[in-house]
């Protein structure tokens, strides 16, 4: 085996990890593949004999590539990739739809969507430190910032990603989550009776997907018929401080559900798909 074949074999041994890092940073399987491919090109043009820790070197290179891609995306004032169908893996000739769906599920749909709310430096810092446990000294070098600045970015990102509810609010949130997860499970299973059990008889659903205005559904019977078997790829999350739902097939946000609960039943549901309305929502992860 010659030197080039040896380095190629080592690179392939790191590919899965590099894709995992890039996917969490970019939220797009095709873009993650592009970033990893660019890292291979840079490696092939480098003197590999001078690289002491190839895995660490590649992680650093991929992170810098992703940071540049995120900054370019932001400078063009693009929406996060999770909201854009134009970045869908279905539009990439070399993509693997099944692989992306599996990866999105393993990462967490809500995680992908909430990470999209961070600025480039926050997102890279959070992914490297909180998910992959990369030391701040290395992250600071990637960002071109001080270690103290990297720590501040991580702290700010963590506050924006994870819900930090007061202790006195946690029992109410736990109850909301239990009720909403029961609703989602019944909807996925198309179980009409279980849906009726969690819905107020006079429940109202307001759906903004009509474009020209809201479509309003009144009554538990009608709403159960409408949602049975139709809410897939969903995950509970904090929406403006209360438990709601993010629906994001393959990690790309389609809509958010907000709920009002009265007397132990779901009394109101707002389906929000408009990107401008979604951008005004405070979306955070729920504590497990």
């Amino acid at each position: 085996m010659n030197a080039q074949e040896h380095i190629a074999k080592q690179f392939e041994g790191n590919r899965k990890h590099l894709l995992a890092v890039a996917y969490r940073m970019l939220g797009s399987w095709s873009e993650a593949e592009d970033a990893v491919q660019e890292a291979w090109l840079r490696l092939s043009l480098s003197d590999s004999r001078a690289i002491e820790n190839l895995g660490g070197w590649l992680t650093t290179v991929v992170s810098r590539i992703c940071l540049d891609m995120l900054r370019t995306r932001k400078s063009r004032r693009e929406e996060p990739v999770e909201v854009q169908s134009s970045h869908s893996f279905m539009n990439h000739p070399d993509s693997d739809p099944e692989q992306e769906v599996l990866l999105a599920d393993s990462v967490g749909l809500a995680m992908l969507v909430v990470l999209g709310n961070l600025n480039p430096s926050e997102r890279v810092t959070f992914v490297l430190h909180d998910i992959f446990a990369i030391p701040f000294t290395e992250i600071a070098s990637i960002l071109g910032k001080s270690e103290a600045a990297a720590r501040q970015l991580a702290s700010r990102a963590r506050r924006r990603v994870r819900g930090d509810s007061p202790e006195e609010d946690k029992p109410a949130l736990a109850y909301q989550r239990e009720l909403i997860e029961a609703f989602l499970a019944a909807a996925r299973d198309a179980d009409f009776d279980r849906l009726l059990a969690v819905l107020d008889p006079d429940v109202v659903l307001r759906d903004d997907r009509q474009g020209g205005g809201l479509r309003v559904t009144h009554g538990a019977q009608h709403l159960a018929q409408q949602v049975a078997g139709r809410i897939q790829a969903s995950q509970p999350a904090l929406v403006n401080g209360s438990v709601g739902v993010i629906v994001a097939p393959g990690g790309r946000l389609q809509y958010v559900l907000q709920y009002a609960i009265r007397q132990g039943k779901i009394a109101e549901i707002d389906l929000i798909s408009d990107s401008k309305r979604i951008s005004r929502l405070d979306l955070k992860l729920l504590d497990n």
Side-chain angles (χ1 to χ4, degrees), residues 33-46:
E33 287 184 314
D34 289 344
V36 172
Q37 181 62 24
E38 175 64 23
W40 163 249
L41 292 175
R42 295 187 187 185
L43 176 62
S44 65
L45 296 173
S46 302

Side-chain angles (χ1 to χ4, degrees), residues 41-247:
L41 292 175
R42 295 187 187 185
L43 176 62
S44 65
L45 296 173
S46 302
D47 182 4
S48 60
R49 295 171 298 180
I51 302 173
E52 295 183 5
N53 178 357
L54 182 63
W57 186 90
L58 286 169
T59 299
T60 295
V61 170
V62 164
S63 298
R64 286 174 174 159
I65 292 168
C66 290
L67 182 60
D68 288 342
M69 293 171 74
L70 289 167
R71 285 171 173 166
T72 299
R73 186 191 294 170
K74 185 181 180 186
S75 70
R76 292 174 180 168
R77 296 188 178 182
E78 296 176 350
E79 292 176 343
V81 68
E82 294 81 6
V83 185
Q84 285 200 75
S85 61
S86 62
H87 281 83
S88 169
F89 55 77
M90 296 179 184
N91 298 323
H92 195 280
D94 299 321
S95 63
D96 184 341
E98 182 178 357
Q99 177 65 35
E100 180 160 10
V101 170
L102 291 173
L103 188 53
D105 287 343
S106 68
V107 172
L109 306 177
M111 172 68 82
L112 287 173
V113 171
V114 172
L115 285 178
N117 294 331
L118 304 180
N119 69 41
S121 294
E122 289 172 343
R123 184 161 183 163
V124 168
T125 302
F126 182 87
V127 168
L128 289 177
H129 184 265
D130 282 43
I131 299 178
F132 291 99
I134 304 296
F136 281 118
T137 51
E138 297 180 29
I139 298 172
S141 175
I142 291 168
L143 298 174
K145 297 179 181 292
S146 68
E147 184 177 343
R151 290 181 181 275
Q152 288 178 346
L153 282 169
S155 178
R156 189 166 66 216
R158 204 173 294 121
R159 289 195 300 270
R160 295 182 64 189
V161 168
R162 302 192 184 280
D164 187 19
S165 305
E167 285 297 323
E168 60 268 23
D169 292 345
K170 290 183 177 180
L173 291 174
Y175 178 76
Q176 292 173 19
R177 183 173 188 171
E178 181 180 358
L179 185 64
I180 289 167
E181 285 183 339
F183 168 79
L184 292 176
R188 282 193 293 267
D189 296 340
D191 190 318
F192 197 75
D193 290 335
R194 282 162 53 205
L195 279 168
L196 293 179
V198 298
L199 295 172
D200 185 281
D202 298 317
V203 64
V204 175
L205 168 66
R206 292 177 287 267
D207 184 341
D208 74 358
R209 289 176 296 180
Q210 306 310 303
L214 294 177
R215 175 186 175 185
V216 182
T217 301
H218 295 274
Q221 294 279 344
H222 289 137
L223 192 150
Q225 291 171 348
Q226 185 171 326
V227 304
R230 295 182 182 177
I231 302 179
Q232 306 297 328
S234 57
Q235 187 173 341
L238 279 178
V239 180
N240 290 349
S242 297
V243 179
V245 170
I246 287 172
V247 179

